[in-house]
Amino acid sequence: MDGRTNLVGRNSVEITELIAPHVDRDFRGRQVAQWIVDRNASSFGVMTNLPLALRRDLDTHFSLEEPEVLQVVESSDGSCKYLLGFSDGVGIESVSMREGAKATFCLSSQAGCAVGCTFCVTGAVGAGRNLRPEEIVGQYRVMLRRLDTEVERVNIVFMGMGEPLLNTGNLGPALTVLSERVSLKRITVSTAGVLPGVRWLAGLEKRPKLAVSLNAPDQERRTKIMPIARRYPLVDLMKALREFPLERGRRITFEYVLIDGFNDAEKDARLTARLIRGIPAKVNVIPLNEDREHFPDLRRPAAAVVDRFAAGLRDAGLTVTVRWSKGEDVAAACGQLRQRQPIR
Ligand code: SAH
Ligand code: SF4
């Protein structure tokens, strides 16, 4: 931060307005916004269709500040885990995954998480500050630039560090910027069930997709692993989800972290299916990523148990995907990379 106004995290209209006093012609605003938003430019110097004097003037008043890439760890499955640092010394993680011409970016919304789910490394680390729009959009920009070959399509999921719906003040503007490049159909916000946030999302004129971390089929067990369930009980959450406005063809994604002996019984699959019956839904079953240091007693179920659970959901008519965490060989799952690194 050097007194210049950072244009990363601003949408095209804002960019145009901000630079208006500096430009000679009206169309410059659109040009600059195109460079920043559409072409992901990282400096004014590359904006070769602008007069040199204007580029210099812009550089005096504005910056295109992005998070610093502190470390990139590539996993054997092709996913890349980024350790990113901000100017105040705060560090976060973002993940880029590749499947052919499709890339998925997993973004963080906070530098930690106050929700404190017992199976989550980010939760174990505790609260961290909210990320600002430019810090959210910056993650996307940095990872996009590093993709080696062309991708046809980028998906964005807010499944990194933090609870996005506890940071709606920054998430909203960030979504506006991101949606200029990536259709909201391909942006998913994942929540532990923060009801005011779900209502905020429901009230947006245009909204991203919603994913809800269910993780247990009943209030009692959910509260055990997700303290936030006490504040926002499952019945209220399910009611809000039944009322959630869904665009044609859209479904709500339910995430379900499978923990050995806790929520992985066949019966739990049936209970889960019953709970979400009537909601256009798909379920992501995520076998627990173990962490001996933070939750040594929680284990990932055997593969056969995972299969049985998924089959139980499918038998009940649900669409199910089993998500074996990517990047495990580099400790690159959910909040784990930052754990191994001394952050400034
Ligand atoms: N706070 C939001 C988004 C970030 S967490 C939320 O909770 O939805 C993203 C996903 O990672 C959630 O579905 C969460 O249940 C899952 N997750 C957290 N820790 C995990 C672990 N140790 N193993 C597997 N999945 C985990
Ligand atoms: Fe926070 Fe989500 Fe982790 Fe829970 S699972 S502690 S809400 S990041």
Side-chain angles (χ1 to χ4, degrees):
M1 276 192 262
D2 50 16
R4 294 182 297 169
T5 302
N6 190 2
L7 294 182
V8 170
R10 308 289 189 143
N11 61 52
S12 296
V13 174
E14 291 170 331
I15 292 171
T16 305
E17 282 170 8
L18 281 164
I19 68 164
H22 300 270
V23 298
D24 50 343
R25 311 257 186 83
D26 281 351
F27 63 81
R28 298 287 184 217
R30 202 174 60 242
Q31 282 181 315
V32 173
Q34 256 165 14
W35 275 107
I36 298 172
V37 178
D38 299 350
R39 304 181 67 174
N40 208 24
S42 58
S43 74
F44 297 103
V46 299
M47 302 182 186
T48 43
N49 55 355
L50 305 183
L52 188 60
L54 175 57
R55 283 185 256 160
R56 290 209 176 116
D57 187 40
L58 290 176
D59 197 42
T60 314
H61 295 93
F62 303 99
S63 68
L64 293 168
E65 195 184 317
E66 292 174 352
E68 188 185 346
V69 179
L70 300 175
Q71 199 186 355
V72 185
V73 187
E74 193 171 346
S75 164
S76 55
D77 63 18
S79 63
C80 281
K81 187 99 169 176
Y82 289 74
L83 182 67
L84 302 176
F86 301 117
S87 49
D88 63 352
V90 161
I92 56 141
E93 293 178 11
S94 314
V95 183
S96 156
M97 291 160 278
R98 245 335 244 290
E99 257 172 76
K102 197 177 89 178
T104 300
F105 294 161
C106 180
L107 306 189
S108 292
S109 55
Q110 301 179 306
C113 189
V115 175
C117 302
T118 59
F119 53 85
C120 173
V121 178
T122 310
V125 175
R129 73 167 171 82
N130 283 336
L131 300 187
R132 294 187 294 274
E134 64 269 31
E135 295 172 329
I136 296 173
V137 175
Q139 298 169 56
Y140 163 80
R141 287 170 56 88
V142 164
M143 292 195 286
L144 185 67
R145 196 165 302 122
R146 289 222 171 192
L147 286 179
D148 43 356
T149 47
E150 286 289 304
V151 286
E152 279 164 24
R153 224 167 56 185
V154 173
N155 293 301
I156 293 174
V157 294
F158 282 89
M159 295 181 186
M161 296 168 70
E163 169 49 51
L165 294 187
L166 286 177
N167 186 17
T168 52
N170 293 306
L171 180 68
L175 286 172
T176 304
V177 178
L178 292 171
S179 65
E180 291 192 283
R181 289 301 292 144
V182 178
S183 160
L184 283 168
K185 277 186 274 187
R186 291 199 284 277
I187 302 180
T188 300
V189 171
S190 174
T191 180
V194 177
L195 271 182
V198 172
R199 293 193 191 108
W200 169 81
L201 211 54
L204 292 181
E205 201 179 314
K206 290 182 189 155
R207 71 195 125 259
K209 293 202 294 186
L210 174 62
V212 177
S213 298
L214 190 60
N215 299 337
D218 52 57
Q219 171 69 6
E220 197 192 334
R221 271 184 287 174
R222 198 159 184 267
T223 314
K224 274 197 185 133
I225 53 171
M226 304 180 74
I228 199 167
R230 224 164 292 160
R231 178 121 188 242
Y232 304 116
L234 189 55
V235 283
D236 299 341
L237 177 61
M238 295 314 294
K239 183 168 183 290
L241 297 180
R242 282 179 201 288
E243 291 164 1
F244 192 81
L246 285 176
E247 289 78 356
R248 182 191 278 271
R250 276 207 199 174
R251 291 187 277 183
I252 294 177
T253 299
F254 287 91
E255 294 155 282
Y256 193 106
V257 176
L258 266 190
I259 303 171
D260 183 37
F262 176 75
N263 60 0
D264 60 349
E266 257 181 302
K267 183 159 177 276
D268 298 333
R270 283 198 297 276
L271 288 172
T272 302
R274 192 179 308 160
L275 188 70
I276 60 189
R277 189 177 296 156
I279 300 177
K282 52 186 172 181
V283 183
N284 282 349
V285 173
I286 317 169
L288 177 80
N289 240 331
E290 297 180 3
D291 189 290
R292 296 290 153 100
E293 192 186 329
H294 294 95
F295 32 87
D297 300 335
L298 303 184
R299 291 291 152 82
R300 161 182 291 193
V305 175
V306 175
D307 290 344
R308 187 187 63 187
F309 188 87
L313 294 174
R314 284 193 194 105
D315 287 348
L318 284 158
T319 307
V320 183
T321 311
V322 177
R323 302 239 177 250
W324 298 96
S325 298
K326 303 236 173 193
E328 271 191 285
D329 52 336
V330 289
C334 287
Q336 292 180 347
L337 181 64
R338 195 179 75 148
Q339 282 308 294
R340 310 278 188 275
Q341 298 298 318
I343 299 276
R344 286 169 296 168

